[in-house]
Amino acid sequence: MNQALSRSNLAQGALFTDLDGVTAEILLNAASQRQFPAGATLFHQGDAPSQLFQVGTGLVRLTRVNPEGEQTTLRFMGPGDLVGCVAVFRQFPFPATATASKPTTVLSWGAAQILDLLRRYPTVSANALDTVSDRAREMVDRLAEMTNKSVEARVASVLLRLVSQVGRNGSTGLEIGKPVTRKDVSEMAGVSYFTVSRILGDWQRQGLVRLGRARIVVLDPRRLAQVAT
């Protein structure tokens, strides 16, 4: 019973959207279930795209190191998200490193295997295309943030994005907590840690957020969205 429930939960991700039962079962049977402890690496930046991963439980952090050796957090991937999909589908080296931020279970497919499934099953292929399109749109939006928005708007946009990726309902608001840190927020917004801390302190006094040990609680998402525009 637990195994059936686990399989059902794992078949609730991006590639499985609107699949009929037979196709979903074929896709699920083709996958391997793998577990990664917190801190384990799924793949490194520059690795060949040999595996596609879909998060079942847990959380995966994507980071990239620039030519100067500076590491930047790109995003967090939760249950249902595909990790490394653009590199696998387009067959170029992984552009980032994927690390389990907490104990994580994934489905994995070999690159040749998933590409064959995409050719054979149009609905799976359409789901893959939707995911790649969403990632491209996100990258365009983030580039626009970096070039067109104020520092405060960029930090607000990052907090709203983290709420959608890893936020959870708390007693007073939407909580962003461990393993996400203020350093992650600063890297994702492209500003210094001290600037993020100053902005968050100002917002706490204004009632937009509440700060705690290793967490940020968004108290007023509507006002934060106004800051982000």
Side-chain angles (χ1 to χ4, degrees):
M1 187 70 172
N2 289 337
Q3 183 177 3
L5 179 61
S6 175
R7 284 174 62 83
S8 175
N9 289 341
L10 288 170
Q12 298 295 317
L15 282 184
F16 292 87
T17 303
D18 295 330
L19 295 188
D20 62 81
V22 173
T23 305
E25 191 70 12
I26 290 170
L27 185 62
L28 187 57
N29 287 337
S32 299
Q33 184 175 330
R34 299 176 61 184
Q35 296 182 338
F36 293 89
T41 300
L42 283 69
F43 54 77
H44 291 93
Q45 180 178 332
D47 283 353
S50 59
Q51 295 281 319
L52 175 68
F53 300 95
Q54 180 174 287
V55 181
T57 61
L59 193 68
V60 174
R61 179 176 181 242
L62 287 183
T63 58
R64 179 174 173 82
V65 176
N66 67 19
E68 289 72 41
E70 300 170 329
Q71 178 177 284
T72 299
T73 298
L74 299 178
R75 78 183 324 268
F76 287 87
M77 318 285 284
D81 285 335
L82 291 178
V83 185
C85 60
V86 178
V88 171
F89 297 153
R90 300 300 299 168
Q91 282 298 285
F92 57 76
F94 286 122
T97 296
T99 306
S101 294
K102 58 175 68 172
T104 297
T105 300
V106 301
L107 292 177
S108 69
W109 296 267
Q113 181 184 39
I114 195 65
L115 292 174
D116 179 62
L117 289 167
L118 295 184
R119 286 189 291 267
R120 291 165 52 198
Y121 298 99
T123 308
V124 179
S125 181
N127 288 340
L129 180 60
D130 286 344
T131 301
V132 171
S133 298
D134 288 344
R135 298 289 166 79
R137 183 167 56 250
E138 181 180 322
M139 289 299 103
V140 170
D141 290 344
R142 292 187 63 175
L143 179 61
E145 288 174 10
M146 294 297 183
T147 56
N148 299 326
K149 288 189 174 184
S150 67
V151 170
E152 288 79 7
R154 282 152 55 186
V155 175
S157 295
V158 167
L159 290 185
L160 292 172
R161 193 155 55 242
L162 287 171
V163 162
S164 69
Q165 293 173 4
V166 300
R168 56 182 178 270
N169 290 319
S171 58
T172 58
L174 299 167
E175 295 185 4
I176 304 167
K178 286 183 177 180
V180 181
T181 66
R182 294 189 198 181
K183 185 173 184 294
D184 292 319
V185 175
S186 70
E187 291 176 2
M188 294 174 74
V191 300
S192 73
Y193 176 90
F194 298 103
T195 298
V196 166
S197 294
R198 174 183 59 77
I199 291 171
L200 291 177
D202 290 342
W203 288 349
Q204 179 167 245
R205 288 186 286 274
Q206 297 171 32
L208 273 73
V209 303
R210 188 177 74 249
L211 307 177
R213 290 194 61 183
R215 68 174 182 169
I216 302 167
V217 181
V218 176
L219 302 175
D220 197 334
R222 183 186 60 82
R223 285 175 60 198
L224 198 62
Q226 292 174 346
V227 176
T229 57

